[in-house]
Amino acid sequence: MSVELDVFVGNTTIMDKEVYQLWLNGYTVNDAVKVRMEGGVMEECEASAEVLLSDTMDQFRTFQMCERLLQNPAKLANQLLFQIPPDRQAMLIERYYAFADAFVREVLGKKLSKGTKKDLDDVSAKTGITLKSCRRQFDNFKRVFKVVEELKGPLVENIRQHFLLPDQLARDYAAIVFFANNRFETGKKKLQYLTFQDFAFCAGQLINNWTVGAVDNMVEDMDVDLDKEFLQDLKDLKILIADKDLLDQHKSLVCVALRGKTKVFNEMETNFKNLSRGLVNIAAKLTNPKDVRDFFIDLVEKFIEPCKSDRWTATDVNLYLTHYTNSAHILDSFKYQTVWTRYMGVIKSCILRMYHE
Amino acid sequence: MPGKLKAKVVAGRHLPVMDRASDLTDAFVEVKFGTTTFKTDVCPKSLNPQWNSEWFKFEVDDEDLQDEPLQITVLDHDTYSANDAIGKVYIDIDPLLCSEAATVISGWFPIYDTIHGIRGEINVLVKVDLFNDLNRFRQSSCGVKFFCTTSIPRCFRAVLIHGFVEELVVNEDPEYQWIDRIRTPRASNEARQRLISLMSGELQRKIGLKVLEMGGNAVVGYLQCFDLEGESGLVVRAIGTACTLDKISSTYTAAIVQNLSNSSPSKDMKDSPQAVPSALGCRSTHSSPVHSASSRLSQGFSVSVPTLLFAGMKNRHRSSEGPRARQCRAGFGEEAPGVPLSSGPPTPLRAQTFSSFSPSKSYSRQSSSSDTELSLTPKTARICLSPSSPIHQCMGSGGSAGKEAGPLKALLRQQTQSALEQREFPFFTLTGFPPAFLLHVGGVVSARSVKLLDRIHNPALGNTRSYKLLDWNSFTADEPETRDAWWEELRQEIKSHAKALGCHAVVGYSESTSICEEVCILSASGTAAILSSRFVQDGALDTDHRLSRQQASVFTTGAEKGEGVMGSSASLGFEDVAPPACGFCHIPYDELNMPFPAQLTYCHCCRRHKVPDVLFTTIDVPTEANVTGKGCLIQARLCRTKKKGQGEGNATAISNLLPFLEYELHTQLLNKLKLRGMNALFGLRVQISVGDTMLLGLASATGVYLTALPSPGGIQIAGKTPNDITYEQHISNMQKKINDTIAKNKELYEINPPKLFTLDPDAFRSINTEFVEEVIGSPIPEPRQRSRLFRSHSESSDEVLELDLSHGKKDAFVLEIDDTDAIEDIHSLLTDAPTPPGFYSCNTEIMPGIYNWTSGLQMFTSVRVFRLSNANLTNQGLNKIFNDLCENLLKSLYFKLRSMVPCCLCHVNFIVAVPEDELIQVAVTAVAMSFDKDQSQENGRQSGDKTLMKAITENEEQLQFPLELSAESPSNPLSCAKGLSEVSGPLPSARAPSVDHSSFTDRCSSWIEQLRLKAHTIRRGSIKTMSSLEKASPVPEGRSRSLRSNRSCPGSSITVVKMTPLSFIPGAKIIKYLGIINMFFIRETTSLREEGGVSGFLHSFIAEVFAMVRAHVAALGGNAVVSYSMKECVFMENPNKNQAQCLINVSGDAVIFIRESELEATPSQTQSGNVQTSSNGEGT
């Protein structure tokens, strides 16, 4: 004696947010039923385990049928098969494209290839996120990447329009796409302390300032790739450390400005040349893709770590970087003001974001 | 010849990839109607092709227009191999043939393929230019409107209700053709879909012809069914009620004039919607007060009521010599403390409405004498009377009846009677009626017969199956005859049952079949009733419609007259003659000559007439009914094992089982009803499904406590082994449980009829003091003090005794648990889980006692198939399984819909089937509607009244306004509204017993209608600009667009389409009916596992069916389907072959509705924009 077939179809598709989340989390029907039972729906509604199982199965099936549409959210609004109120549609899409921070940290900056996908079971084991959920998140990244890769126009806007995502989520995806495209290294031990949001912030900075789109917004790939010309121009900044006079001049200007304003003035003074060399070297090397990948590691190694060992506070860092940037403008023989501003603006906000006390 | 069909293929979207190499498709479209085919160009390499074709024109007969669907096939062009079909769209163009329905079909249709399901969408435009054909010999019936709704549709009023129409069409089933061997299932399924589409078109046309012949213009309660008889073919049959409907606007002006001329809200105004304007003049001619007296007199005669299932079963397969009828008669009575209750002050106007024709004694006698045996029932051909003859007839009989009632009254009654009796089948598929149409209800009548399919085909051929080798066409001619004869037999039987109940009509009538291999059970059931002549045409089948209509209007006038007179008597203080709400409960048959044993008491509302103790009906709760508390869904479920059999033996076995099945279902229903402390069942539907090894019986109904009927007593349990102490204890335990349950249920359903008389002084005055004392002093009328005369039974009276359902009668509701069976029964009685808090359920349109519906609406279909692993189950075991299956299904529904609480599952419709040996399939379609808990019940009524009053006051101020408008645009079908019957339904306040508002309501509604129209145009205008912005979309401006509400997604082009099995949408007003939706789909798969198994397969199929229904409605310009039902859901699987197939038939009425809240928002705009209009209309 068994229920052979059990179907429920509503004219308006019924979807329970809680069950949806369980499905998204990659639970099996039985596990989901267990979770729901523990959640106490049964007592609430005088339901039996059987009823719960039937409901869960049914909804899982519905989600599965919807999945095809969710992968192309624009279709969801235009399809005739499921009548779903707009607010529900938005919820479905948003949750489908939501991802776990733990997961994204694992794949951020990696190539979104089959090879990476094969390694997802390791990621799953490491993060405790089900493989199914990992795959969905990974496929989402890949799908978004593929679509926006070929589109003109602002990256975030493209993502938002194509996938009908809320602004914040669209920004996060832009970051993921950007990282994946430039293959920024994020997995090194030294970078482990950084959260996805830290990187997303930095990505936002880079996208807004260092890409072609930041200057001209009708160029293809403009938001995904860094502005090559700009990277070339960065080499000119080398003068700041190569020219001894300029370096000393810069140092004295910064020191004058900083004196008496911070407790770690001495450390700043002694470290100035080191730090300045670090930052300018990073800039000078960015034409090399390999060094682009190491951008964040370099920032940590060349700037953040020395500051940390000297116990700078975030305010100190801010102060230092502000004056470090501004002082360069006063240098008479320094001609690359625009490039300098464009470079240091991003570097400053990235470092500040990455500087966890 | 007269019709030009035009079609244009605009675009496609979301097409499937047909060319793997390019991941694209080279699509083109074939547009076919009849034998003509047009093709579009190929749109290469696109999944979203833009064809933007020319207009394809088909010049065709209107006959073809009705029969044929427009076939649109989307194909993938292939240079080297055959073109691959992507899928098809069938468009029923019938809605375009009615001038008042849709004018254009335009929208996105899902492209459907039987194997792949929906594969993208196609945008099509269809128009029809129709030339009027006045040829009286024409074969078409364009213009006849069809409604699935089983009450008068909301924006129409009934001028006349002509009566029963039926037709059936037979063909061979392509699935079973020999050719099946050489063609794919897909091809035969497509052929099947096409054929059924064609057959239902033909059927509809033929029914339309019959309607025209009767002088009607519409079919209401249209019920079309398919019988898949397998090898013996495919039957498409339909029944319905022919009516003459009037768009509410047409008599609007007259009504307004009338309203204005009457300074006080008198009866006349209420009646006016029913009277054709010409009748108004006649009214004043008779005004003798004699009539009022006489009609009061006749009221006094109107007698008792039963509550019975009145059923007959027959086994009439060919071998049996002549019809052997078995009939079950039942009387369930019980002594109950009559709980007096007044239904609030009886409104004078209502009283008059009601009073018109209560059956007089003489009538009852006549009807019981006409309780003929089947063979005696005249299998009448329709009697054709000359236009003048009915009048003569009436005159003659009027004289003889004059002693009891005034001549006019008698004449009218005679008229009704003869009008209905002259009819071959005085049946009505309606379940809801215009006020004052339903006078008395007798009880449920049903008949079943078991037939053998393959033999009956053509008697001339004897028992051979060789007919298949012969030319099919030579048989098709005979075929419908045979099927017709089967149904005819059954209907005759129903008719005679109704007569036995003293009734001249059957309402809430329906027919169904259950087929298993070669055995077919035909079932028919309905509710015996006495109807007012108001809407009933005389029996004359005159081809001159106008003339017959005229006659009818004369009678209508007569009726008006009688009532007009009553109105005057009302003002003299006789208004309480017949409290309106309880009239239908009064028994229609003769108290002294009851057709079955029943216990009668005086009506608890009016205390004048007899009512039965329990009332079973197949109709909806009449709007005027007084119901105490809330109702609930009651189901009796039963499984009976049966030996496998073949042919005749099998048929005999089944027909032997049937009476017992029916009897037990009935007992179960009655017990469950008692257990809930209720006394009446509405919407009773008994389904018997036959399988190879079992019979399933499922009876569903909505139990309510009718205030007019006596309160039901408890259930007593008695054991037959009295000396055993433990046994006694066991019994008393059980008794206690039952008593507790009853008490709990009464609380749950708020059944607490007031214990004291609170009649209003007027009513009190008129009641005989003696009588009052009797009722108060001994509320329990001595049950056996009345002599019960059993109706003489010429046919096998012993059988009647054997099957007398009233066996428990002597000790009303004593259950004897002397065997395991009974214990099982009691257990099952108690295991029915109560609905969870916040939920109510019913299978009628709406739940009595709930008035304040919100707009929350969720229609759903749920299907379950249960496999019995052990074939050797006992009846009890099977019963338990079946019972659990249904209960669990309900529980699941409650759980699913918990977010809608407080809510009510309405129109819960179960379909049970035995698709295979060990499978039980249950399909449920229902709608969950949430309501506002804060102001439930009485408050709801009050607030309803208040809003109505508010509307009235507003309306008084605005009265000028609609008048002027209507003068301005009298030709506009939407321009105004008039009619109580249509209005009273959807308004919650209509349930309030007061009727004097109704005349106001008329005016309100007309005014509202006007605004709505305005609102509609305004909205359309604003949307137009919006849609012009959507350059990308090739959809031409259509009405669907204009209706697109802000609810839909901003970027979406999808109209939200509501679906409901009810005839209305709460909180909204239906402003236009666009035509009937009747769709048939087959889906098959050869990769069942890959599609998610049987559940996944069926899930997506049902979702696809919904989607296609919605798309067609949207294309017609509608935003809802009302009276939606799933008639058929045949699911077959073969897991070993990884295959499954399913066939679904759905139907409903496409409508445009407007939210009442939207309406409220528009008046100011409309008014301001309307200054000009008013000045124009000054002349009115």
Side-chain angles (χ1 to χ4, degrees), chain A residues 1-2 4 9 11-12 16, chain B residues 858-859 865 867 869 1110:
Chain A
M1 272 159 280
S2 58
E4 182 105 328
V9 189
N11 183 36
T12 307
D16 186 314
Chain B
Q858 172 68 282
M859 192 283 298
V865 175
R867 183 175 290 281
S869 57
R1110 288 193 300 255

Side-chain angles (χ1 to χ4, degrees), chain B residues 320-512:
Chain B
S320 52
E321 304 165 30
R324 214 165 21 103
R326 283 154 204 256
Q327 307 213 334
C328 310
R329 309 265 134 92
F332 289 84
E334 59 133 350
E335 294 126 293
V339 187
L341 172 75
S342 97
S343 54
T347 326
L349 297 177
R350 193 60 157 200
Q352 299 142 22
T353 318
F354 168 69
S355 66
S356 52
F357 308 101
S358 47
S360 70
K361 207 179 247 176
S362 70
Y363 172 55
S364 300
R365 283 209 188 101
Q366 187 188 341
S367 60
S368 52
S369 67
S370 66
D371 168 32
T372 45
E373 223 207 291
L374 282 177
S375 55
L376 295 182
T377 318
K379 290 204 172 187
T380 43
R382 295 192 182 93
I383 303 160
C384 245
L385 295 170
S386 76
S388 58
S389 69
I391 296 172
H392 286 301
Q393 247 184 6
C394 294
M395 293 307 237
S397 53
S400 64
K403 282 174 201 163
E404 288 176 350
L408 177 62
K409 174 111 179 97
L411 181 140
L412 291 169
R413 195 195 61 233
Q414 201 63 37
Q415 181 53 40
T416 328
Q417 208 173 307
S418 61
L420 283 164
E421 275 168 15
Q422 275 163 21
R423 234 163 257 187
E424 191 179 13
F425 298 115
F427 295 173
F428 299 87
T429 53
L430 304 181
T431 57
F433 307 91
F437 185 50
L438 190 67
L439 295 185
H440 300 293
V441 169
V444 170
V445 284
S446 79
R448 288 182 210 283
S449 94
V450 181
K451 300 286 187 189
L452 264 183
L453 283 176
D454 63 344
R455 301 237 184 131
I456 302 208
H457 248 294
N458 192 339
L461 274 177
N463 297 342
T464 62
R465 292 191 180 202
S466 59
Y467 66 87
K468 283 214 165 145
L469 304 174
L470 301 168
D471 177 15
W472 182 273
N473 288 327
S474 64
F475 295 91
T476 43
D478 300 326
E479 189 68 18
E481 297 290 310
T482 321
R483 294 294 182 274
D484 267 345
W486 288 1
W487 289 107
E488 184 127 334
E489 272 172 20
L490 219 58
R491 290 169 192 148
Q492 287 296 354
E493 198 172 331
I494 289 275
K495 190 183 176 187
S496 77
H497 288 333
K499 279 193 174 167
L501 287 175
C503 294
H504 60 207
V506 176
V507 293
Y509 179 74
S510 66
E511 293 174 349
S512 62

Side-chain angles (χ1 to χ4, degrees), chain A residues 274-302:
Chain A
N274 249 341
L275 292 176
S276 185
R277 258 189 220 115
L279 289 179
V280 173
N281 274 331
I282 292 174
K285 288 193 303 178
L286 279 177
T287 40
N288 185 354
K290 168 80 181 63
D291 291 303
V292 170
R293 282 182 210 171
D294 289 340
F295 176 70
F296 292 99
I297 294 182
D298 288 346
L299 280 186
V300 169
E301 283 179 346
K302 302 279 160 57

